[in-house]
Amino acid sequence: MKKTTLLYEGKAKKIWNTTDENLLISEFKDDLTAFNGEMKSSEAGKGALNNKISTELFKLLNDNGIPTHFVDMLDDNNMLHKKCDVILIEVIVRNIATGSLTRNLGIEDGTVLPFTLVEFDYKNDKLGDPKLNDQHALILGLVDYQDELDKLRRMARQINDILKPYFFEKGLKLVDFKLEFGKDKDGNIILIDELSPDNCRFWDVQSGESMDKDRFRQNKGGLKVAYENILNRILN
């Protein structure tokens, strides 16, 4: 499968058209951004690590009945996947309070939530990805029906039910993570984008050490080592 024209370039990936109209290639970049692009850097090898981690997690979810866009990992930095119409809603799944949840609601950092919290953000960089409720999503036409919002929540919880114990067995707490969904050529809602330490928070069970992009956000250093650690735990 060959790349043809560049379809889109985002913060972490370039999306390419291919010789098959139903398939795209995501090229994972080494760029790092945080706080809606206000903080920028680069880490050699980060893109390849995210591609490999995402590949393994998409395979895991596919094997457990969660439909994803994943088709194949072509090489270290390139993933072949289905072409989808992106639903412009970021689905945030939270198991432990930290980050914006702590800042916005005053919940003490590290508090284990009494149930899995699923939130919606509007995928719109110009507006700063604001929070959405169901009525906002319907008014903006981000989905066609309430049933689709219900399905996003249901799928998000199903994914969490798979990933949370999976990572705990590998000595990691899955604190929170961001999901993106799209509709395939048949109109089915499927998981897209990536699953990596760029959009998941992982804390080591024993030390509580952050093993994700918070190392960049908080100027802790050691980001690549942390990402390599995540990949090694997945593969072993």
Side-chain angles (χ1 to χ4, degrees):
M1 189 62 60
K2 293 183 179 181
K3 298 174 182 175
T4 54
T5 56
L6 182 65
L7 178 64
Y8 170 79
E9 181 169 2
K11 298 171 186 173
K13 292 184 290 297
K14 293 180 180 178
I15 311 297
W16 297 86
N17 289 307
T18 72
T19 49
D20 186 323
E21 64 179 8
N22 295 313
L23 297 174
L24 301 174
I25 292 173
S26 281
E27 179 185 344
F28 286 70
K29 298 160 55 177
D30 290 336
D31 294 353
L32 281 160
T33 64
F35 309 115
N36 290 322
E38 294 178 12
M39 189 176 180
K40 297 179 181 180
S41 186
S42 181
E43 182 87 24
K46 190 270 290 186
L49 287 165
N50 280 351
N51 186 26
K52 293 171 184 177
I53 291 167
S54 294
T55 291
E56 295 304 317
L57 296 181
F58 279 137
K59 287 179 179 178
L60 172 69
L61 293 174
N62 281 331
D63 289 345
N64 282 274
I66 302 294
T68 80
H69 71 164
F70 176 79
V71 175
D72 193 17
M73 191 179 84
L74 300 177
D75 56 37
D76 280 359
N77 284 82
N78 290 278
M79 177 188 290
L80 183 68
H81 56 82
K82 298 173 186 176
K83 185 176 184 178
C84 295
D85 293 325
V86 178
I87 298 172
L88 296 178
I89 297 175
E90 295 180 347
V91 182
I92 315 299
V93 183
R94 300 183 186 272
N95 296 307
I96 299 172
T98 196
S100 62
L101 188 65
T102 296
R103 292 192 304 272
N104 295 337
L105 299 183
I107 302 172
E108 185 178 355
D109 191 80
T111 300
V112 176
L113 301 177
F115 53 85
T116 300
L117 175 63
V118 178
E119 301 176 308
F120 293 154
D121 288 358
Y122 185 15
K123 187 175 167 60
N124 186 313
D125 287 341
K126 291 181 180 179
L127 298 177
D129 300 331
K131 292 293 177 190
L132 292 171
N133 62 32
D134 289 19
Q135 292 173 324
H136 293 151
L138 292 167
I139 287 170
L140 290 169
L142 305 181
V143 293
D144 296 324
Y145 308 104
Q146 177 67 44
D147 286 352
E148 292 181 332
L149 294 173
D150 295 339
K151 184 166 186 177
L152 294 181
R153 286 194 180 91
R154 185 167 63 251
M155 289 182 70
R157 289 195 168 92
Q158 289 171 340
I159 291 167
N160 188 57
D161 287 344
I162 295 166
L163 294 183
K164 184 179 173 183
Y166 171 81
F167 280 111
F168 191 78
E169 288 181 0
K170 298 177 180 298
L172 294 164
K173 293 180 182 179
L174 181 57
V175 177
D176 58 36
F177 55 101
K178 181 191 76 175
L179 300 171
E180 295 189 19
F181 294 89
K183 291 183 180 180
D184 65 14
K185 62 184 178 64
D186 298 316
N188 300 308
I189 294 177
I190 65 174
L191 181 66
I192 64 169
D193 191 41
E194 67 179 276
L195 280 169
S196 75
D198 267 13
N199 60 4
C200 302
R201 278 192 175 99
F202 301 107
W203 292 351
D204 184 85
V205 168
Q206 297 299 323
S207 68
E209 183 180 6
S210 174
M211 309 290 288
D212 52 68
K213 199 167 75 170
D214 274 351
R215 302 197 70 84
F216 169 62
R217 295 185 186 99
Q218 299 168 9
N219 294 305
K220 292 180 177 180
L223 179 136
K224 185 177 178 181
V225 172
Y227 283 34
E228 289 172 339
N229 187 296
I230 296 296
L231 179 60
N232 289 335
R233 295 195 199 201
I234 289 172
L235 295 177
N236 295 311

